[in-house]
Amino acid sequence: MNKIVGLDIGENSVKMAYFVGRELKRTAKLELPDAMVSGGRILSMDAMADFLHDAAKGSGIPLTNAALVVPASEVYTRVITLPAMTEQQLFYNLPYEFRDFLTEEKSKYFFDYAVRRIVNDETGHPKEMELFACAILKTTVEGYRAMLHRAGFRLRVLTVTECAYGAVLGAYLRRMGAENDDRDRCIVSIGHRSTHLYIYHGATFDSRREIDVGGRLIDEQIAEHCGVDIHLAHSYMRSDYNGVLEADYAREAYSRLAVEIMKVVNFYNYNNRDRELHDLYICGGEIGLLGNKKLEDGNLCKECASKLSPWFSDRRRSTVDQIREQLDWREANQQRVAQFNPTRTLGNDMKVILDEDAGRFIVTRSSRWREANPDVLDFSQVTGCDTEIRESRTELHWKDSDGEE
C-alpha cells in the first residue's frame, strides 16, 4: 500500500492524513454538520460517506486506500495474559476472554490481537504471553467498509485508538533513537464532549481514562457570557473572536479540565509508586481551544508561536521539523543579541541598529530590544536595499520693531 489515507471520525470533526509510503503529504481537519455522530456512533453511514467524499476532494486528498480508527464505543479491548499456545489454539480461546462483554453470539464477532510480550520459564521456553486483544461485530466492520466504498475509499486497515497512538509513539521513539525508553507517557485527546487519556509504558498501551469535559464546555461558557447561540459560540472559539480564549471564564474552564486531568495522573502515580507519569502529549479535535496554530503536518502551540521570528509569515505551509529548526535558531539568536553592541541607530519608530565592529545589524521598533530577541543579521546577508527620501521644510518668520515681517 504505497498510498493510504488515515481517517479519524470524532464527535465534531473528521481528521485526514494522506501518506505516500512513509512521507506525509497532506492533512485536513473538517467540522462535521450537526447530528452526524453521537456517542462515537455514526448516525447515517450514507450521509457520512458523502461528507467524506466531498471533504477529501475539497482538501486535495485522493480517494485511495484507507486506514480507519474505530471509536471505543464500537469495539471491546482487553489486556490479557494466557498460557503459551499456538495461533490456532489462541483463536479458539480468545472469544472466551470476552464472554462477559459480548452481547451477541461469538460467531458474529471478529477477534484480533497483538502480542505485547512473551514470558519464558527457567528453561527458556515460552510460559505465558501477554496480549492486547479486541473484538468487534462483523456487521460494524461491513458497515464501515460499505461507507468508505461509497465515499470512494478502499478500507485496508481498521485499528483502535490505543494501537494508533501506540504506533505514533513507537515511530517517535525510533526517530529519537530511544526505542528502549519505557518511561510512562500519557496522550491527552481533547474531544468535543469528553477528553480521553491514554497511558503508555514507552509505546506499550497500559490503560485508558475518560473525562466528561471537552471543548463544548468552552462553547457553553462563550455562549453564556457573549449572549450568542452555541453554534456561533463555537465559531468564536475557533477564531478566538475578541480574545475569548483569554477571557476569565475561558480560563476557569481550562482550570477545570486541568484539574480533572491531574486527578487521573495523580491516581495513576498513587497506584504505581514504582513509576512516574509526567510526560503528557496534547492532541484531539478541540486542541484549538489552547490557541494552537495549524502547520502543514501538525500544530504549533501559542507559546512556541510567540518565539518565532517577527519576519516569519509562512507558518501555515511549514512542517513541524522546519518550525523546530527555526526555534533552535531563535534560541541561539539570544546569544547573538547578548553580544550585540550598538554603534549607530537609523530611523525613528522602526529602527535599524548597527554593530559596525561585528558587521551585524538588527531591525526592531522595541525600546527593550534585548528582551524582544530581534533577528541578528550579518552585513553580508544584505543583497540590496530600497531608499526613500522624505523631505520636510519649516519656514521661520519674525517681525522687526516696526511690526514688519
Side-chain angles (χ1 to χ4, degrees), residues 308-345:
L308 296 176
S309 169
W311 309 112
F312 181 63
S313 61
D314 203 26
R315 182 259 309 164
R316 181 62 182 84
R317 290 190 292 274
S318 298
T319 65
V320 172
D321 286 339
Q322 289 170 336
I323 292 296
R324 186 179 290 113
E325 289 177 4
Q326 183 181 159
L327 291 175
D328 290 341
W329 187 91
R330 290 284 292 161
E331 185 175 353
N333 187 72
Q334 290 179 332
Q335 181 64 27
R336 292 192 291 271
V337 171
Q339 298 170 347
F340 191 87
N341 295 308
T343 59
R344 186 188 300 185
T345 299

Short mmCIF file of all heavy atoms in Angstrom, two decimals, residues 308-345:
data_model
loop_
_atom_site.label_atom_id
_atom_site.label_comp_id
_atom_site.label_asym_id
_atom_site.label_seq_id
_atom_site.Cartn_x
_atom_site.Cartn_y
_atom_site.Cartn_z
N LEU A 308 8.71 32.66 17.40
CA LEU A 308 9.17 32.69 16.01
C LEU A 308 9.65 34.07 15.62
O LEU A 308 9.33 35.08 16.26
CB LEU A 308 8.02 32.25 15.09
CG LEU A 308 7.52 30.81 15.26
CD1 LEU A 308 6.33 30.57 14.35
CD2 LEU A 308 8.62 29.80 15.00
N SER A 309 10.41 34.12 14.55
CA SER A 309 10.91 35.39 14.05
C SER A 309 9.76 36.32 13.69
O SER A 309 8.77 35.88 13.09
CB SER A 309 11.79 35.17 12.81
OG SER A 309 12.09 36.39 12.17
N PRO A 310 9.86 37.60 14.01
CA PRO A 310 8.79 38.55 13.65
C PRO A 310 8.64 38.72 12.14
O PRO A 310 7.61 39.21 11.68
CB PRO A 310 9.23 39.86 14.32
CG PRO A 310 10.70 39.72 14.52
CD PRO A 310 10.94 38.26 14.77
N TRP A 311 9.64 38.29 11.38
CA TRP A 311 9.59 38.42 9.92
C TRP A 311 9.06 37.15 9.26
O TRP A 311 8.94 37.09 8.04
CB TRP A 311 10.99 38.73 9.37
CG TRP A 311 11.63 39.88 10.06
CD1 TRP A 311 12.72 39.85 10.87
CD2 TRP A 311 11.21 41.25 10.03
NE1 TRP A 311 13.01 41.09 11.35
CE2 TRP A 311 12.10 41.99 10.85
CE3 TRP A 311 10.16 41.93 9.40
CZ2 TRP A 311 11.98 43.34 11.05
CZ3 TRP A 311 10.04 43.29 9.61
CH2 TRP A 311 10.93 43.98 10.41
N PHE A 312 8.72 36.16 10.07
CA PHE A 312 8.27 34.88 9.53
C PHE A 312 6.77 34.94 9.23
O PHE A 312 5.97 35.28 10.10
CB PHE A 312 8.55 33.77 10.55
CG PHE A 312 8.15 32.40 10.08
CD1 PHE A 312 8.74 31.82 8.99
CD2 PHE A 312 7.16 31.69 10.76
CE1 PHE A 312 8.37 30.56 8.57
CE2 PHE A 312 6.79 30.43 10.35
CZ PHE A 312 7.40 29.86 9.25
N SER A 313 6.39 34.60 7.99
CA SER A 313 4.98 34.72 7.59
C SER A 313 4.45 33.49 6.88
O SER A 313 3.33 33.50 6.39
CB SER A 313 4.81 35.94 6.66
OG SER A 313 5.60 35.79 5.49
N ASP A 314 5.23 32.40 6.85
CA ASP A 314 4.82 31.22 6.09
C ASP A 314 4.55 30.04 7.02
O ASP A 314 4.81 28.90 6.68
CB ASP A 314 5.90 30.83 5.07
CG ASP A 314 5.34 30.01 3.92
OD1 ASP A 314 4.15 30.15 3.63
OD2 ASP A 314 6.10 29.23 3.34
N ARG A 315 4.01 30.34 8.21
CA ARG A 315 3.80 29.30 9.21
C ARG A 315 2.87 28.20 8.73
O ARG A 315 3.14 27.02 8.94
CB ARG A 315 3.23 29.95 10.48
CG ARG A 315 2.99 29.01 11.65
CD ARG A 315 1.52 28.61 11.77
NE ARG A 315 0.68 29.76 11.77
CZ ARG A 315 -0.63 29.69 11.55
NH1 ARG A 315 -1.20 28.53 11.26
NH2 ARG A 315 -1.39 30.77 11.58
N ARG A 316 1.78 28.54 8.07
CA ARG A 316 0.78 27.53 7.70
C ARG A 316 1.33 26.45 6.77
O ARG A 316 0.92 25.31 6.84
CB ARG A 316 -0.42 28.22 7.02
CG ARG A 316 -1.54 27.27 6.62
CD ARG A 316 -2.13 26.58 7.82
NE ARG A 316 -3.16 25.63 7.47
CZ ARG A 316 -2.93 24.39 7.08
NH1 ARG A 316 -1.69 23.94 6.99
NH2 ARG A 316 -3.91 23.57 6.79
N ARG A 317 2.31 26.80 5.93
CA ARG A 317 2.88 25.82 4.99
C ARG A 317 4.18 25.22 5.51
O ARG A 317 4.90 24.56 4.75
CB ARG A 317 3.09 26.47 3.62
CG ARG A 317 1.80 26.78 2.89
CD ARG A 317 2.06 27.20 1.45
NE ARG A 317 2.73 28.49 1.39
CZ ARG A 317 2.10 29.66 1.39
NH1 ARG A 317 0.78 29.69 1.48
NH2 ARG A 317 2.77 30.79 1.34
N SER A 318 4.50 25.46 6.77
CA SER A 318 5.72 24.91 7.36
C SER A 318 5.44 23.59 8.06
O SER A 318 4.33 23.37 8.56
CB SER A 318 6.32 25.90 8.37
OG SER A 318 6.68 27.11 7.74
N THR A 319 6.44 22.72 8.11
CA THR A 319 6.30 21.44 8.80
C THR A 319 6.77 21.57 10.24
O THR A 319 7.41 22.56 10.63
CB THR A 319 7.13 20.36 8.10
OG1 THR A 319 8.53 20.68 8.22
CG2 THR A 319 6.76 20.24 6.62
N VAL A 320 6.47 20.57 11.04
CA VAL A 320 6.90 20.56 12.44
C VAL A 320 8.43 20.62 12.51
O VAL A 320 8.99 21.36 13.34
CB VAL A 320 6.37 19.31 13.16
CG1 VAL A 320 6.98 19.18 14.55
CG2 VAL A 320 4.84 19.35 13.26
N ASP A 321 9.12 19.86 11.65
CA ASP A 321 10.58 19.86 11.68
C ASP A 321 11.15 21.23 11.31
O ASP A 321 12.14 21.68 11.91
CB ASP A 321 11.13 18.80 10.72
CG ASP A 321 10.95 17.38 11.25
OD1 ASP A 321 10.77 17.24 12.48
OD2 ASP A 321 10.97 16.44 10.44
N GLN A 322 10.53 21.91 10.36
CA GLN A 322 11.00 23.24 9.98
C GLN A 322 10.81 24.24 11.11
O GLN A 322 11.68 25.10 11.36
CB GLN A 322 10.27 23.71 8.71
CG GLN A 322 10.67 22.96 7.46
CD GLN A 322 9.77 23.26 6.28
OE1 GLN A 322 8.61 23.66 6.44
NE2 GLN A 322 10.30 23.08 5.07
N ILE A 323 9.68 24.16 11.81
CA ILE A 323 9.44 25.04 12.94
C ILE A 323 10.44 24.74 14.06
O ILE A 323 10.97 25.65 14.71
CB ILE A 323 8.00 24.88 13.46
CG1 ILE A 323 7.00 25.40 12.42
CG2 ILE A 323 7.81 25.62 14.78
CD1 ILE A 323 7.11 26.88 12.12
N ARG A 324 10.71 23.45 14.28
CA ARG A 324 11.68 23.08 15.33
C ARG A 324 13.07 23.65 15.01
O ARG A 324 13.76 24.15 15.90
CB ARG A 324 11.73 21.55 15.46
CG ARG A 324 12.60 21.08 16.61
CD ARG A 324 12.62 19.57 16.72
NE ARG A 324 11.32 19.06 17.17
CZ ARG A 324 10.52 18.32 16.42
NH1 ARG A 324 10.86 18.01 15.19
NH2 ARG A 324 9.37 17.88 16.91
N GLU A 325 13.46 23.61 13.73
CA GLU A 325 14.75 24.17 13.34
C GLU A 325 14.78 25.68 13.58
O GLU A 325 15.79 26.22 14.06
CB GLU A 325 15.01 23.87 11.86
CG GLU A 325 15.30 22.41 11.55
CD GLU A 325 15.48 22.16 10.07
OE1 GLU A 325 15.44 23.16 9.29
OE2 GLU A 325 15.63 21.00 9.66
N GLN A 326 13.67 26.36 13.28
CA GLN A 326 13.65 27.80 13.49
C GLN A 326 13.69 28.15 14.98
O GLN A 326 14.38 29.10 15.38
CB GLN A 326 12.40 28.44 12.86
CG GLN A 326 12.41 29.95 13.03
CD GLN A 326 11.20 30.64 12.46
OE1 GLN A 326 10.89 31.77 12.84
NE2 GLN A 326 10.50 30.00 11.54
N LEU A 327 12.99 27.38 15.80
CA LEU A 327 13.02 27.63 17.24
C LEU A 327 14.43 27.42 17.80
O LEU A 327 14.86 28.16 18.70
CB LEU A 327 12.01 26.74 17.96
CG LEU A 327 10.54 27.06 17.70
CD1 LEU A 327 9.63 26.02 18.36
CD2 LEU A 327 10.18 28.46 18.21
N ASP A 328 15.15 26.41 17.29
CA ASP A 328 16.53 26.20 17.71
C ASP A 328 17.39 27.40 17.31
O ASP A 328 18.25 27.86 18.08
CB ASP A 328 17.09 24.92 17.09
CG ASP A 328 16.46 23.66 17.67
OD1 ASP A 328 15.88 23.75 18.77
OD2 ASP A 328 16.55 22.59 17.03
N TRP A 329 17.16 27.90 16.09
CA TRP A 329 17.92 29.06 15.62
C TRP A 329 17.59 30.29 16.46
O TRP A 329 18.50 31.07 16.82
CB TRP A 329 17.60 29.34 14.15
CG TRP A 329 18.46 30.41 13.54
CD1 TRP A 329 19.65 30.25 12.90
CD2 TRP A 329 18.20 31.82 13.54
NE1 TRP A 329 20.15 31.46 12.49
CE2 TRP A 329 19.28 32.45 12.88
CE3 TRP A 329 17.16 32.61 14.02
CZ2 TRP A 329 19.35 33.83 12.69
CZ3 TRP A 329 17.22 33.98 13.86
CH2 TRP A 329 18.30 34.58 13.19
N ARG A 330 16.32 30.47 16.80
CA ARG A 330 15.91 31.63 17.60
C ARG A 330 16.50 31.56 19.01
O ARG A 330 16.85 32.59 19.59
CB ARG A 330 14.39 31.69 17.67
CG ARG A 330 13.73 32.06 16.35
CD ARG A 330 13.84 33.53 16.07
NE ARG A 330 13.06 34.30 17.01
CZ ARG A 330 13.23 35.59 17.25
NH1 ARG A 330 14.20 36.25 16.64
NH2 ARG A 330 12.46 36.22 18.12
N GLU A 331 16.64 30.36 19.54
CA GLU A 331 17.26 30.21 20.86
C GLU A 331 18.73 30.59 20.79
O GLU A 331 19.25 31.29 21.68
CB GLU A 331 17.10 28.78 21.36
CG GLU A 331 17.61 28.56 22.77
CD GLU A 331 17.33 27.18 23.29
OE1 GLU A 331 16.61 26.41 22.61
OE2 GLU A 331 17.83 26.84 24.38
N ALA A 332 19.40 30.15 19.73
CA ALA A 332 20.82 30.54 19.55
C ALA A 332 20.94 32.02 19.29
O ALA A 332 21.96 32.65 19.64
CB ALA A 332 21.42 29.73 18.39
N ASN A 333 19.91 32.64 18.69
CA ASN A 333 19.94 34.07 18.40
C ASN A 333 20.00 34.91 19.67
O ASN A 333 20.52 36.03 19.67
CB ASN A 333 18.71 34.44 17.57
CG ASN A 333 18.75 35.88 17.08
OD1 ASN A 333 19.53 36.23 16.20
ND2 ASN A 333 17.90 36.73 17.66
N GLN A 334 19.47 34.38 20.77
CA GLN A 334 19.51 35.12 22.03
C GLN A 334 20.94 35.40 22.46
O GLN A 334 21.24 36.46 23.02
CB GLN A 334 18.77 34.33 23.12
CG GLN A 334 17.27 34.27 22.92
CD GLN A 334 16.56 33.47 23.98
OE1 GLN A 334 17.13 32.55 24.58
NE2 GLN A 334 15.31 33.80 24.25
N GLN A 335 21.85 34.47 22.18
CA GLN A 335 23.26 34.68 22.50
C GLN A 335 23.85 35.77 21.62
O GLN A 335 24.65 36.61 22.08
CB GLN A 335 24.04 33.36 22.32
CG GLN A 335 25.52 33.45 22.64
CD GLN A 335 25.77 33.76 24.11
OE1 GLN A 335 24.97 33.44 24.97
NE2 GLN A 335 26.90 34.41 24.39
N ARG A 336 23.45 35.80 20.35
CA ARG A 336 23.94 36.85 19.45
C ARG A 336 23.43 38.22 19.88
O ARG A 336 24.15 39.23 19.77
CB ARG A 336 23.53 36.53 18.01
CG ARG A 336 24.21 35.30 17.43
CD ARG A 336 23.99 35.19 15.93
NE ARG A 336 22.61 34.88 15.60
CZ ARG A 336 22.12 33.65 15.50
NH1 ARG A 336 22.93 32.61 15.72
NH2 ARG A 336 20.87 33.44 15.19
N VAL A 337 22.18 38.26 20.37
CA VAL A 337 21.62 39.53 20.87
C VAL A 337 22.41 40.01 22.08
O VAL A 337 22.71 41.20 22.23
CB VAL A 337 20.13 39.37 21.22
CG1 VAL A 337 19.60 40.60 21.94
CG2 VAL A 337 19.30 39.12 19.96
N ALA A 338 22.76 39.07 22.98
CA ALA A 338 23.51 39.44 24.18
C ALA A 338 24.88 40.01 23.82
O ALA A 338 25.42 40.87 24.55
CB ALA A 338 23.66 38.22 25.09
N GLN A 339 25.47 39.57 22.72
CA GLN A 339 26.79 40.02 22.30
C GLN A 339 26.75 41.26 21.40
O GLN A 339 27.80 41.79 21.02
CB GLN A 339 27.52 38.89 21.57
CG GLN A 339 27.77 37.65 22.44
CD GLN A 339 28.28 36.47 21.64
OE1 GLN A 339 28.23 36.47 20.41
NE2 GLN A 339 28.76 35.44 22.34
N PHE A 340 25.55 41.71 21.07
CA PHE A 340 25.37 42.82 20.12
C PHE A 340 25.68 44.16 20.81
O PHE A 340 25.11 44.47 21.86
CB PHE A 340 23.94 42.82 19.58
CG PHE A 340 23.70 43.73 18.42
CD1 PHE A 340 23.93 43.31 17.13
CD2 PHE A 340 23.25 45.04 18.63
CE1 PHE A 340 23.69 44.14 16.06
CE2 PHE A 340 23.02 45.88 17.56
CZ PHE A 340 23.24 45.43 16.27
N ASN A 341 26.58 44.97 20.21
CA ASN A 341 26.96 46.27 20.77
C ASN A 341 26.62 47.36 19.75
O ASN A 341 27.34 47.52 18.74
CB ASN A 341 28.45 46.31 21.10
CG ASN A 341 28.81 45.33 22.21
OD1 ASN A 341 28.19 45.33 23.26
ND2 ASN A 341 29.81 44.49 21.95
N PRO A 342 25.56 48.13 19.97
CA PRO A 342 25.14 49.15 19.00
C PRO A 342 26.21 50.25 18.84
O PRO A 342 26.78 50.72 19.83
CB PRO A 342 23.86 49.72 19.61
CG PRO A 342 23.41 48.71 20.61
CD PRO A 342 24.64 48.06 21.12
N THR A 343 26.44 50.62 17.58
CA THR A 343 27.33 51.75 17.30
C THR A 343 26.62 52.86 16.54
O THR A 343 27.09 54.00 16.53
CB THR A 343 28.54 51.29 16.47
OG1 THR A 343 28.10 50.70 15.24
CG2 THR A 343 29.37 50.27 17.25
N ARG A 344 25.50 52.54 15.90
CA ARG A 344 24.73 53.56 15.17
C ARG A 344 23.28 53.12 15.08
O ARG A 344 23.00 51.92 14.95
CB ARG A 344 25.30 53.75 13.76
CG ARG A 344 24.63 54.91 12.99
CD ARG A 344 25.04 54.96 11.54
NE ARG A 344 26.49 55.15 11.38
CZ ARG A 344 27.07 55.31 10.20
NH1 ARG A 344 26.34 55.30 9.08
NH2 ARG A 344 28.38 55.46 10.11
N THR A 345 22.37 54.08 15.12
CA THR A 345 20.94 53.80 15.01
C THR A 345 20.35 54.65 13.90
O THR A 345 20.57 55.87 13.86
CB THR A 345 20.21 54.10 16.33
OG1 THR A 345 20.75 53.28 17.36
CG2 THR A 345 18.72 53.82 16.21
#
